[in-house]
Amino acid sequence: MKRIATAIALAGLFLSPSAGLAKNVDLVTLPARDSVQLTIYNSEDITLVKETRYVTLKKGANKLQFSWANTLIDPTSVTFRPLDHKGDVELLDTVFPGQKPQHLIWNVESMFEGQVKVEVTYFTSGLTWKMDYVAITDPDETKLHFRGYVRVFNNSGEEYEDAQVRLIVGTINLVEKIAALAKRRGIPVPTRQSGKLYKDFRGIVMTNGLARAEESEKKRLNGRRPTIVKEGLSEYFMFSVSGQETIPNGWSKRMQAVEARDVPFDIVYRMRRYQYGPRPVRFFIWRNDAEHKLGESPLPDGQVNLFRQKRQKGDKGDDGLSFLARQQIRYVPIKAEIEINLGPDDLVVYETQRMSAERLNFHFNSHRRVDGWDDRTDWVDTIRNYRTKPITFELRRQWAGDVNYESEVATTLFDYRTTETKFDIAARSKRQYPATVTMHFGTNAKQQNVKLKDSDR
Amino acid sequence: MRYRAFMIILAALLTAAAPVALGRIKLAALPERERVEIQLDNGKYTLVEEERIVPLLRSGKTNNMIDFSWSNTAIDKNSILFRPVAVREGGKFRPVKLIKLADGTKVPEINVINVAYPPNENALVWEVYAADACACKVRVSYLIANLTRTFEYRALADKPEEFLTLRKYMVLHNYSGEDFIGAGVWAGFGPKFQKEINQLDDLKLRIAKFTQVPIDKTFTFDWYTHGALNPAKPLASKILMHYRLTNDEKNKMGEFPLQPGKVRIFIEDGHGGEAFLGEDWAALTPLDDTMKLYLGESRDIVCTRIIESNVRHNVRGNLHNQEIVIKYEIENFKDKATTLRIVEQLNRLGQQYFGNTHGDVEWEKGGKTSKGIRFDYEFGGATPILLVKLPARPTDKDAKVKKVTVRFHVTLKNLW
């Protein structure tokens, strides 16, 4: 069974204005798309489709029918404008026939007779894209091969053949969802199966698009991947996929958009019980900048899969991969850091012990009852590194109340209640971090913060 | 019924023009797996890597379309990697090299152009460029669910309970829907195995054996955790037995952290056989840490705890110190001398006798504390462990077991 016609059928109806519109028998011609450009947003389910077609107009009144059965096009967004003979062709009005959902008719007045190139734009739902990243470190964990991929999903109900694809990174505001607008008036929603399934990847190449499609194909057959051109646009970033792509309805397609080899990265261990739990966690950190062979564009939200190459015995070759971590990263602006949490590492151990407690500076109320005191505690934190490489260890601890903090190890305040210390710990060694914490209680508590001994001076 | 090996079909589609045709009718070559590796070093994810030799045609009118599909296996579609690693040349494989195009740019001679995902199918299609027709060795990696591993241990103590042999096993559970024949299996440490593991199989592999591991057998008395032994002995409490094994080289281990898992403990019976002592869950034991294995209760050591004195000393206003002497009377009916670990939770002691201790108690050891007691602070300053040596029961059958009496004199300071 043939399903919908190409989602958008543009028909020049050479009918006189008096011809009844209510008739259900139409004789139409189907001018093919000359070109199509998809601008797909990832923050909302919206795609701006811009297509050009050639229609033949006669002098005087023309009726052009545009229909989009079984697609997710927002009817309120459809626009029409002539690209040729602009002064001679005028759109008079647009009629949305009540009896025919997903149809409209443009009444066009033309002073010109013959072929005219027109542009039709509209918003559609169901075309989406997302990024994902693959990072593979060398066996020594010093550098990584970082790749980012865009994956475009087509569940729009329509097959856009040899489309120029542009992807917008950034958040836009919509007051109504395109899918909701498309589904108004009980219009059925396309399923994943709808659309022309499994059409040839190269699809039916439009006459005028042939040259571009061939050029794109030629590049592929040279071994080149489609390149992704990145450029800033207002507060957004636009990724334009070189050449044309055809993504049949229901399919998705993944293309490499970012690649950087030999990206240096830092390995940091963080102990933040309040944030990461009771064990230190390992981070790989690098920046989206030129120093790290990146920084050409922001990196959109996406999942990172992190691997490590295994070293082959007696050889420096690749003996397969180890899977290290999976993490969703948020939008990474240019020069911002990328942090991947690898989780706890069994080879780095952190322990903390409260060694002694002392009470002092008692304050008594008028009834000679204790209403203020200080509690001085000695803590010893121990970090053991069993790795064969030195590590950097960041320790943050949160304290409640009025606290004086003293340690022979350089300590700073991350915020008003969080102490922060950084250590370098040699390979296969341990380090102790003693600290004396005096907490003020009752009437002795004057603040809700931590004061370092140095800051008291 | 043997579960059928589910298919992971890697098909090099050598069609000329329409690689992904209507209905996906395919003419496919099915390259066999040359090698499979199961990586279990990540506790959350299992990575499978397979190596196959894929025949590729020279990219002329079209590129090669390689179709990878699977069914009834929980492969994470978003994790699949395709890596061309070598090209066969003169009967040998050499690494993939870069070639120079007419405009001077370099591209790999085998290059993945893109990946397409058909709807409602567990499949994907790689479009792969090949500079020349060749046999290419590719690695396909993916994360797979329901292929998991757990760890188990078997400890066999010698009869005097001085040393034990600890065997560590990895148990592979394959509910992934896929059979893996001749798969390399690696836990992230220990040896790599070449094994066959079929769907629904559990495969137990010994990955380490530590012999002559010294046993530190401990007896622990902890009043505040276990309370009174029974109404007849209201001042006595349980004595818990543990084996403590230290994961370091000195104690014949220390090769890698010991993963959590069940430990079954046996003892040689002196007649060439073994007796089961019990089992326990071992926690993750990093290097240099101690694995504590609970064996059960000891009935041959009896310890009673008596608050011998409890005196309040006012300091000022409602501020005071509380001076307490705790007397322990211990009898060892075992034929071996041992050490009893008495855990005193001073915060609980403070709460029992005065109420709110306002955090960790401040305390001071008093002069009446028995000289033979050694102190350990494994649980922190407010929970001292008193180590009391106990002699073996007398060998003379008429002699009675000597009751060892020790005192812990403690002053809890600045209470109110």
Side-chain angles (χ1 to χ4, degrees):
Chain A
M1 181 187 76
K2 185 169 166 71
R3 317 180 31 257
I4 57 167
T6 305
I8 301 141
L10 184 67
L13 302 177
F14 295 96
L15 303 171
S16 69
S18 57
L21 282 175
K23 288 187 178 170
N24 287 322
V25 180
D26 293 333
L27 176 64
V28 298
T29 61
L30 295 171
R33 278 191 192 114
D34 175 60
S35 70
V36 61
Q37 183 190 67
L38 306 173
T39 306
I40 309 172
Y41 294 75
N42 69 344
S43 63
E44 293 283 353
D45 183 9
I46 178 172
T47 295
L48 172 64
V49 181
K50 186 169 81 177
E51 52 180 65
T52 58
R53 299 182 187 235
Y54 286 92
V55 296
T56 304
L57 300 176
K58 64 178 175 61
K59 272 190 180 174
N62 293 267
K63 288 186 181 297
L64 299 178
Q65 177 182 292
F66 183 76
S67 63
W68 56 92
N70 290 329
T71 65
L72 285 168
I73 289 173
D74 166 17
T76 66
S77 69
V78 184
T79 66
F80 168 91
R81 73 179 177 118
L83 296 176
D84 300 335
H85 308 285
K86 288 179 187 171
D88 297 333
V89 179
E90 191 184 357
L91 174 65
L92 298 178
D93 56 41
T94 308
V95 179
F96 295 88
Q99 302 301 316
K100 286 185 171 182
Q102 296 185 297
H103 276 68
L104 63 77
I105 291 167
W106 286 305
N107 287 309
V108 176
E109 184 71 24
S110 178
M111 307 288 286
F112 169 80
E113 185 156 320
Q115 185 173 272
V116 175
K117 188 177 187 180
V118 299
E119 180 188 274
V120 179
T121 65
Y122 49 87
F123 290 140
T124 185
S125 173
L127 274 161
T128 54
W129 70 277
K130 69 174 186 180
M131 279 296 278
D132 72 276
Y133 305 91
V134 174
I136 303 177
T137 78
D138 58 350
D140 293 328
E141 296 184 347
T142 56
K143 289 179 177 168
L144 54 81
H145 184 185
F146 181 75
R147 279 169 292 190
Y149 298 91
V150 289
R151 186 166 162 191
V152 180
F153 299 79
N154 182 6
N155 293 309
S156 67
E158 171 63 346
E159 185 167 315
Y160 297 95
E161 290 154 348
D162 293 308
Q164 187 196 348
V165 179
R166 305 192 308 175
L167 311 168
I168 300 292
V169 184
T171 307
I172 58 163
N173 182 45
L174 284 184
V175 294
E176 286 183 284
K177 300 289 179 197
I178 299 302
L181 291 168
K183 288 176 209 165
R184 278 186 185 168
R185 301 168 71 182
I187 291 165
V189 182
T191 61
R192 280 177 67 90
Q193 289 85 353
S194 65
K196 291 177 193 167
L197 292 179
Y198 309 131
K199 202 155 185 183
D200 181 352
F201 258 40
R202 272 160 297 283
I204 302 162
V205 180
M206 303 302 146
T207 315
N208 292 331
L210 184 61
R212 289 190 308 275
E214 275 182 352
E215 191 184 322
S216 174
E217 185 67 22
K218 212 163 111 188
K219 280 189 177 175
R220 285 176 175 184
L221 298 176
N222 260 340
R224 289 197 187 102
R225 299 185 179 103
T227 50
I228 310 281
V229 180
K230 299 127 194 159
E231 56 185 313
L233 189 70
S234 180
E235 293 302 308
Y236 310 108
F237 232 83
M238 185 164 72
F239 289 2
S240 302
V241 181
S242 67
Q244 282 76 43
E245 295 291 338
T246 297
I247 304 167
N249 184 45
W251 285 64
S252 62
K253 199 168 194 179
R254 184 171 178 254
M255 293 158 280
Q256 186 171 299
V258 178
E259 182 172 27
R261 290 176 184 273
D262 298 329
V263 177
F265 63 95
D266 297 323
I267 301 178
V268 174
Y269 286 80
R270 287 181 181 158
M271 180 63 214
R272 299 176 194 168
R273 189 180 297 271
Y274 59 91
Q275 192 173 356
Y276 303 125
R279 295 175 63 195
V281 290
R282 188 170 183 232
F283 277 86
F284 284 4
I285 300 172
W286 66 97
R287 268 195 318 278
N288 182 20
D289 63 8
E291 187 192 336
H292 295 82
K293 318 281 176 77
L294 291 165
E296 203 183 324
S297 71
L299 300 174
D301 299 18
Q303 189 179 66
V304 181
N305 283 319
L306 179 62
F307 299 84
R308 180 185 54 227
Q309 280 185 353
K310 288 184 297 172
R311 194 192 301 281
Q312 207 157 27
K313 272 186 187 168
D315 184 12
K316 287 195 172 176
D318 171 2
D319 189 31
L321 301 176
S322 280
F323 187 75
L324 297 181
R326 166 174 282 186
Q327 184 182 312
Q328 197 71 22
I329 57 167
R330 309 280 288 175
Y331 175 87
V332 184
I334 294 170
K335 290 187 182 293
E337 272 188 343
I338 304 164
E339 295 185 346
I340 304 296
N341 182 347
L342 281 77
D345 180 353
D346 292 347
L347 295 175
V348 175
V349 181
Y350 166 83
E351 291 168 319
T352 185
Q353 265 203 335
R354 192 196 297 233
M355 298 311 295
S356 65
E358 185 185 359
R359 301 275 159 68
L360 59 163
N361 297 334
F362 290 99
H363 185 269
F364 296 86
N365 63 15
S366 55
H367 303 290
R368 288 172 52 80
R369 301 185 75 79
V370 174
D371 65 354
W373 73 98
D374 292 349
D375 185 324
R376 189 157 64 198
T377 309
D378 289 325
W379 292 86
V380 177
D381 292 1
T382 307
I383 303 115
R384 300 182 343 235
N385 173 24
Y386 294 103
R387 289 208 160 256
T388 52
K389 289 201 299 188
I391 61 165
T392 301
F393 193 93
E394 292 177 2
L395 171 64
R396 280 189 199 162
R397 287 190 71 164
Q398 277 188 347
W399 305 90
D402 189 353
V403 176
N404 286 73
Y405 193 92
E406 192 179 327
S407 175
E408 61 199 42
V409 179
T411 304
T412 56
L413 279 181
F414 170 72
D415 65 14
Y416 72 100
R417 59 173 179 164
T418 309
T419 54
E420 183 175 59
T421 320
K422 290 182 182 172
F423 311 95
D424 287 323
I425 303 168
R428 298 185 181 280
S429 67
K430 76 172 181 182
R431 176 139 187 200
Q432 289 200 318
Y433 171 47
T436 301
V437 180
T438 305
M439 305 181 82
H440 308 288
F441 291 102
T443 54
N444 288 11
K446 312 290 186 197
Q447 302 288 339
Q448 280 286 327
N449 60 23
V450 177
K451 291 172 283 299
L452 300 177
K453 192 189 175 192
D454 285 342
S455 62
D456 282 339
R457 287 176 193 156
Chain B
M1 186 187 75
R2 180 182 156 82
Y3 208 76
R4 189 182 173 281
F6 290 99
M7 290 188 296
I8 294 177
I9 301 170
L10 183 73
L13 297 178
L14 307 176
T15 52
V20 187
L22 190 67
R24 282 176 43 84
I25 296 165
K26 306 178 276 198
L27 172 63
L30 298 173
E32 287 296 316
R33 277 184 185 138
E34 299 286 318
R35 181 178 145 194
V36 187
E37 297 280 333
I38 300 172
Q39 304 290 331
L40 296 150
D41 47 342
N42 189 306
K44 282 166 72 180
Y45 301 97
T46 300
L47 179 73
V48 175
E49 254 197 331
E50 38 181 85
E51 204 167 271
R52 303 194 189 219
I53 312 294
V54 181
L56 295 176
L57 285 184
R58 180 178 183 188
S59 292
K61 289 181 181 171
T62 180
N63 279 325
N64 297 274
M65 307 304 275
I66 298 179
D67 192 306
F68 183 79
S69 61
W70 61 96
S71 58
N72 298 324
T73 55
I75 288 176
D76 179 346
K77 197 184 251 189
N78 296 316
S79 70
I80 303 171
L81 287 184
F82 177 91
R83 296 189 305 144
V85 290
V87 171
R88 189 153 60 201
E89 196 175 70
K92 286 186 175 176
F93 280 96
R94 58 158 178 82
V96 172
K97 60 187 182 189
L98 295 176
I99 53 166
K100 210 179 214 178
L101 299 178
D103 62 359
T105 54
K106 289 182 176 176
V107 295
E109 60 183 322
I110 311 292
N111 201 13
V112 180
I113 304 298
N114 62 42
V115 193
Y117 300 83
N120 306 318
E121 274 188 67
N122 285 326
L124 53 79
V125 182
W126 287 293
E127 182 179 345
V128 179
Y129 162 81
D132 274 307
C134 62
C136 181
K137 186 189 282 185
V138 301
R139 292 214 178 109
V140 180
S141 320
Y142 46 85
L143 299 178
I144 194 164
N146 306 322
L147 177 58
T148 55
R149 43 90 158 154
T150 54
F151 293 96
E152 288 180 9
Y153 300 84
R154 190 177 196 276
L156 175 63
D158 59 6
K159 200 173 178 207
E161 295 182 286
E162 289 172 354
F163 298 98
L164 59 70
T165 300
L166 184 71
R167 290 174 175 86
K168 178 173 182 174
Y169 300 92
M170 178 173 66
V171 187
L172 265 176
H173 312 280
N174 184 10
Y175 296 88
S176 68
E178 174 68 348
D179 294 340
F180 295 97
I181 315 295
V185 179
W186 194 59
F189 47 83
K192 191 188 272 186
F193 299 94
Q194 202 76 28
K195 293 288 174 187
E196 174 176 332
I197 177 158
N198 294 311
Q199 163 67 0
L200 299 179
D201 281 359
D202 290 326
L203 179 65
K204 188 171 174 177
L205 303 164
R206 196 187 80 195
I207 54 175
K209 180 184 176 184
F210 304 106
T211 56
Q212 288 289 300
V213 178
I215 299 171
D216 179 15
K217 187 175 182 182
T218 62
F219 299 87
T220 306
F221 174 93
D222 184 345
W223 174 261
Y224 284 107
T225 300
H226 302 295
L229 189 60
N230 56 48
K233 292 189 174 177
L235 298 176
S237 187
K238 289 177 182 172
I239 305 285
L240 303 188
M241 291 186 296
H242 291 87
Y243 280 173
R244 292 163 69 92
L245 313 175
T246 304
N247 186 18
D248 62 10
E249 286 179 20
K250 192 178 146 197
N251 287 277
K252 313 284 186 187
M253 294 198 289
E255 286 180 21
F256 42 75
L258 298 173
Q259 306 298 318
K262 186 195 273 187
V263 186
R264 290 216 155 111
I265 307 158
F266 296 82
I267 189 168
E268 291 171 355
D269 62 7
H271 307 288
E274 296 168 2
F276 180 57
L277 281 185
E279 62 184 23
D280 193 16
W281 291 104
L284 171 71
T285 311
L287 295 168
D288 293 340
D289 267 14
T290 302
M291 178 188 278
K292 283 164 241 174
L293 302 175
Y294 174 58
L295 293 170
E297 292 175 35
S298 170
R299 302 292 173 88
D300 289 336
I301 298 175
V302 178
C303 177
T304 56
R305 177 180 178 272
I306 299 151
I307 303 294
E308 198 171 54
S309 78
N310 179 11
V311 180
R312 175 180 172 132
H313 302 284
N314 285 335
V315 178
R316 183 184 164 191
N318 64 337
L319 190 68
H320 66 277
N321 296 337
Q322 201 80 22
E323 185 185 6
I324 296 174
V325 176
I326 309 171
K327 183 173 79 174
Y328 306 94
E329 292 178 346
I330 312 158
E331 293 165 289
N332 179 17
F333 298 98
K334 288 160 57 67
D335 59 359
K336 278 202 296 193
T338 191
T339 298
L340 180 66
R341 296 158 56 88
I342 300 171
V343 178
E344 264 312 332
Q345 300 184 40
L346 297 182
N347 289 336
R348 298 281 298 272
L349 181 74
Q351 285 158 16
Q352 182 181 0
Y353 290 97
F354 334 105
N356 190 353
T357 58
H358 301 98
D360 268 11
V361 288
E362 180 185 352
W363 65 278
E364 191 175 83
K365 194 163 64 176
K368 292 177 191 168
T369 300
S370 301
K371 297 230 169 0
I373 299 178
R374 284 187 298 122
F375 283 81
D376 183 85
Y377 298 97
E378 182 184 337
F379 303 125
T383 310
I385 301 169
L386 289 61
L387 303 172
V388 181
K389 281 189 175 172
L390 303 175
R393 70 172 186 242
T395 48
D396 183 352
K397 62 178 182 182
D398 295 327
K400 282 190 174 176
V401 168
K402 187 183 169 192
K403 191 177 277 184
V404 175
T405 302
V406 292
R407 287 179 176 80
F408 177 36
H409 177 193
V410 60
T411 301
L412 306 182
K413 297 179 74 177
N414 297 319
L415 300 162
W416 67 95

